[in-house]
Amino acid sequence: MDGLATLWISLPLWGWLVLALCALLIGFSKTALGGLALVAVVLTSQVVATKDSTAVVLVMLLVGDLVATWTYRHDVDWRLIGRLIPPVLVGIGAGALFLNWVDGPTLKRTMGAIMLVLLVLGLWPDKLAAHRPSVGMAYGGLAGFTTMVANGGGPPMSLYLLARKYDKLRFLGTTAWFFFAVNLIKVPFSIGNGILRAETAVLGAVLAPLVLVGTWIGRLTIKRINQATFERLVTAFVAVAAIYLLFG
């Protein structure tokens, strides 16, 4: 557990405050605005080494997933999830290989570039033909890849569901169950890559109570947000995080 002590001692007070904010954002994103999760991913990587931050965030995401799947258990498109799982598995495998040789800055810029391309494509949802199976497979593969390398699968999935005109509750229910399954699948890959270790897992668990607080705030907030505002906020959060990853 020497690594755990080193990790904790190296964190300054401002670092703990940032991680606390990230935990709240992750919980909030799971029950309200999914785009905020990537903002939390970006902030966490500024406090903890990029690859270690992936594991810390993964633990917090799983905690948020448990609440979100229960909250929106009646608002899920199971058929869509079933179709996306195979390409997601391919994307996760590719992401695991990518993590073995890429450095931190390259990882961040790759993520940012992917997000910006998806945002541009999202400006023409009709031309994107989101209901075509091939488009769904492409987005599923990207979601698997980006969620494996930096817990950033939310933006591809969010933009895909927005293009399919999902209402906010169906959007949240489908993403909740989709990413719960995806995040569970990522656990053995993360352990095998040496990313998810005792010290990173414990740090994520320590922050878990704040994730639960965030989910509670999100459940209260989503009731007050109309569909149009919901879609604009999701898109805006994806854009901010993508630009920061690419140029930050």
Side-chain angles (χ1 to χ4, degrees):
M1 300 293 285
D2 289 343
L4 177 61
T6 300
L7 178 60
W8 285 38
I9 292 172
S10 66
L11 286 176
L13 177 59
W14 68 265
W16 283 105
L17 293 175
V18 170
L19 291 178
L21 173 62
C22 291
L24 289 170
L25 289 176
I26 286 173
F28 185 85
S29 74
K30 287 296 182 179
T31 53
L33 294 169
L36 275 174
L38 189 55
V39 175
V41 169
V42 172
L43 290 175
T44 304
S45 68
Q46 304 307 301
V47 180
V48 183
T50 302
K51 292 186 179 181
D52 284 346
S53 71
T54 301
V56 175
V57 170
L58 176 58
V59 174
M60 293 192 286
L61 289 173
L62 284 167
V63 174
D65 286 334
L66 291 173
V67 177
T69 50
W70 175 257
T71 301
Y72 301 113
R73 62 193 181 280
H74 301 304
D75 302 286
V76 187
D77 187 342
W78 292 109
R79 293 181 61 185
L80 179 69
I81 290 175
R83 291 197 300 269
L84 290 180
I85 289 298
V88 165
L89 291 174
V90 174
I92 288 175
L97 294 174
F98 189 68
L99 279 170
N100 285 328
W101 56 268
V102 71
D103 59 16
T106 301
L107 179 61
K108 289 172 58 178
R109 285 172 174 76
T110 299
M111 284 287 299
I114 291 173
M115 295 306 103
L116 286 178
V117 169
L118 293 177
L119 278 168
V120 172
L121 290 176
L123 296 176
W124 296 279
D126 295 331
K127 294 181 179 179
L128 188 61
H131 286 80
R132 290 183 179 178
S134 58
V135 173
M137 292 180 66
Y139 268 88
L142 280 172
F145 177 82
T146 55
T147 197
M148 185 67 230
V149 299
N151 291 306
M157 188 65 173
S158 295
L159 294 173
Y160 179 52
L161 295 184
L162 288 178
R164 289 179 64 93
K165 308 298 184 184
Y166 276 38
D167 66 81
K168 64 180 183 180
L169 293 183
R170 195 165 179 80
F171 178 105
L172 290 167
T174 302
T175 54
W177 282 93
F178 175 79
F179 281 110
F180 181 48
V182 169
N183 287 331
L184 285 177
I185 292 169
K186 285 161 54 181
V187 170
F189 286 94
S190 298
I191 294 173
N193 277 340
I195 296 171
L196 186 57
R197 308 183 306 280
E199 55 266 34
T200 50
V202 170
L203 180 56
V206 166
L207 296 165
L210 290 173
V211 176
L212 297 177
V213 173
T215 62
W216 174 72
I217 297 172
R219 292 174 66 178
L220 296 177
T221 304
I222 193 62
K223 299 175 183 178
R224 302 175 181 274
I225 299 176
N226 62 39
Q227 182 68 26
T229 301
F230 175 81
E231 293 179 3
R232 286 194 292 268
L233 287 172
V234 169
T235 303
F237 287 134
V238 172
V240 170
I243 292 170
Y244 183 85
L245 283 169
L246 191 58
F247 301 108

